[in-house]
């Protein structure tokens, strides 16, 4: 009985009708086997859990590696873009300098950072992304300087365009030169006098055009020049038209180069139909032929 209580009897039946096999195992041994089995199950469970965790980490590592590859490709693309932008800014800077030479403007200030172009393209890693950020910051600063320079150029060009548009440059009337600028004998007194303009002889009523943009300053009658028109072109330049038969403008009216402002006449002290044409620069009469280029 003692043996029966200290052991377990295990019966194995291969088939329901077959003779069974039995054997005994000590309770102590059974407990040891049970503990070992439980330990094995726990160990296998821990190993399975560790495998699952490691599998997740492996997938995460693969994902990070894929993301790193994409980031490397993006950084390389950004590096190429930075190089392209540097080249474009260099070409703009060269164009800027050429325009400044053409417009007599001083060259842009050189602070040592403007010439940042080149042909090399670094392929920065994630650890080198700060270098790419520094390049972008430099490009932004250069772009801001270039924008300021072009704004200055734009203002200068607009000013020069206004100056060119306001500078007399065409004949106010088609005719032939009957008297030039400077000293001449007066046809009325025979004395030597100063002729402040030129006389362009042509037919009565021939249209007279403004040789530049400006604003009509005076429409009046003068004892010597007869009916006259004075146009102020700005920048210290004025033009005077005398001996008119008719004025087609009024004081304060804006005129553009080529606008008809009057008609040739024979008013005032005149020996025949012609236009007396004067150009004044800063209050001084100058030879109008210097301002006729057509």
């Amino acid at each position: 009985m003692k043996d029966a209580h200290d052991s377990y009897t295990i019966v194995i039946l291969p088939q329901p009708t077959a003779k069974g096999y039995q054997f005994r195992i000590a309770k102590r041994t059974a407990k040891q086997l049970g503990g070992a089995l439980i330990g094995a199950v726990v160990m296998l469970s821990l190993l399975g859990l560790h495998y699952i965790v490691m599998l997740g980490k492996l997938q995460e590592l693969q994902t990070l590696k894929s993301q790193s590859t994409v980031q490397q490709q993006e950084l390389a693309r950004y590096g190429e873009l930075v190089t392209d932008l540097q080249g474009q800014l260099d070409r703009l800077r060269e164009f800027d300098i050429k325009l400044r030479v053409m417009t007599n403007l001083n060259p842009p200030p050189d602070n040592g950072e403007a010439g940042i172009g080149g042909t090399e393209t670094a392929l920065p890693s994630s650890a080198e992304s700060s270098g790419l950020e520094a390049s972008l910051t430099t490009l932004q600063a250069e772009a801001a300087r270039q924008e300021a320079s072009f704004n200055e150029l734009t203002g200068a060009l607009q000013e020069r365009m206004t100056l060119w548009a306001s500078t007399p440059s065409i004949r106010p009337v088609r005719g032939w030169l009957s008297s030039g600028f400077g000293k001449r004998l007066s046809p009325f007194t025979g004395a030597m006098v100063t002729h402040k303009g030129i006389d362009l002889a042509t037919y009565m009523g021939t249209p007279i055009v403004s040789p530049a943009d400006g604003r009509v300053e005076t429409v009046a009658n003068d004892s010597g020049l007869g009916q006259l028109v004075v146009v102020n072109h700005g920048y210290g330049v004025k033009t005077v038209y005398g001996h008119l038969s008719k004025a087609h403008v009024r004081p304060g009216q804006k005129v553009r180069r080529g606008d008809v402002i009057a008609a040739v006449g024979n008013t005032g002290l005149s020996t025949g139909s012609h236009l007396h044409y004067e150009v004044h620069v800063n209050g001084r009469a100058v030879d109008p032929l210097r301002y006729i280029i057509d």
Side-chain angles (χ1 to χ4, degrees):
M1 297 297 291
K2 182 177 180 181
D3 292 336
H5 290 107
D6 291 338
S7 63
Y8 296 103
T9 300
I10 300 175
V11 178
I12 301 175
L13 296 174
Q15 295 181 359
T17 59
K19 182 181 179 179
Y21 300 94
Q22 63 179 9
F23 60 90
R24 291 183 179 183
I25 183 171
K27 289 183 176 180
R28 181 178 180 182
T29 301
K31 290 180 179 180
Q32 290 175 348
L33 290 174
L37 180 61
I38 294 173
V41 171
V42 172
M43 182 63 69
L44 288 174
S45 299
L46 291 176
L47 287 174
L49 180 62
H50 182 68
Y51 173 76
I52 293 173
V53 172
M54 290 302 295
L55 183 61
K57 289 186 176 295
L58 180 60
Q59 292 177 344
E60 182 180 356
L61 180 61
Q62 291 176 342
T63 301
L64 290 175
K65 184 178 179 180
S66 176
Q67 292 177 347
S68 177
T69 301
V70 173
Q71 289 176 349
Q72 288 291 318
Q73 293 173 347
E74 290 181 350
L75 286 174
R77 184 167 58 85
Y78 288 144
E80 294 175 356
L81 179 60
V82 166
T83 300
D84 290 341
L85 290 175
Q86 288 174 345
Q88 292 177 12
L89 281 174
D90 284 343
R91 290 189 291 273
L92 286 175
R93 182 172 175 80
E94 292 176 1
F95 183 61
D96 185 333
I97 293 174
K98 291 179 182 178
L99 285 179
R100 286 174 175 272
V101 171
M102 293 170 61
T103 55
N104 294 323
L105 282 179
N106 293 328
D110 187 359
N111 57 8
E113 297 180 357
I116 59 174
T119 57
E120 297 181 354
T121 302
L123 300 180
S125 64
S126 57
E128 296 172 330
S129 60
S130 59
L132 181 59
E133 293 176 358
S135 297
L136 289 173
T137 300
T138 303
L139 282 174
Q140 289 175 338
E142 172 61 13
R145 287 191 296 272
Q146 197 65 69
E147 181 181 10
S149 180
F150 276 129
N151 286 337
E152 181 183 4
L153 271 171
T154 300
L157 287 173
Q158 288 178 342
E159 178 68 16
R160 279 164 174 74
M161 288 176 65
T162 302
L163 174 60
W164 295 332
S166 301
T167 301
S169 60
I170 64 174
R171 291 177 179 269
V173 70
R174 289 294 172 182
W176 59 93
L177 183 66
S178 58
S179 182
F181 175 83
K183 298 293 184 179
R184 73 170 185 177
L185 292 175
S186 171
F188 303 102
T189 65
M192 186 66 68
V193 295
T194 299
H195 192 218
K196 293 183 178 181
I198 60 174
D199 291 337
L200 297 171
T202 187
Y203 299 104
M204 182 76 69
T206 301
I208 300 168
V209 300
S210 176
D213 295 357
R215 186 185 296 274
V216 178
E217 184 175 278
T218 304
V219 177
N221 285 293
D222 180 80
S223 59
L225 291 178
Q227 188 169 12
L228 63 84
V229 169
V230 178
V231 178
N232 190 332
H233 302 281
Y235 304 96
V237 179
K238 294 183 181 182
T239 51
V240 180
Y241 311 84
H243 307 305
L244 310 176
S245 62
K246 185 177 182 180
H248 296 297
V249 291
R250 62 185 182 281
Q253 180 178 337
K254 289 184 178 180
V255 293
R256 304 292 298 272
R257 178 180 283 123
D259 288 351
V260 176
I261 58 175
V264 172
N266 189 28
T267 57
L269 294 178
S270 172
T271 59
S273 63
H274 72 284
L275 169 66
H276 175 82
Y277 175 49
E278 297 179 8
V279 176
H280 294 255
V281 178
N282 296 323
R284 184 173 63 89
V286 298
D287 189 351
L289 291 179
R290 293 165 48 188
Y291 290 86
I292 297 177
I293 62 176
D294 63 337

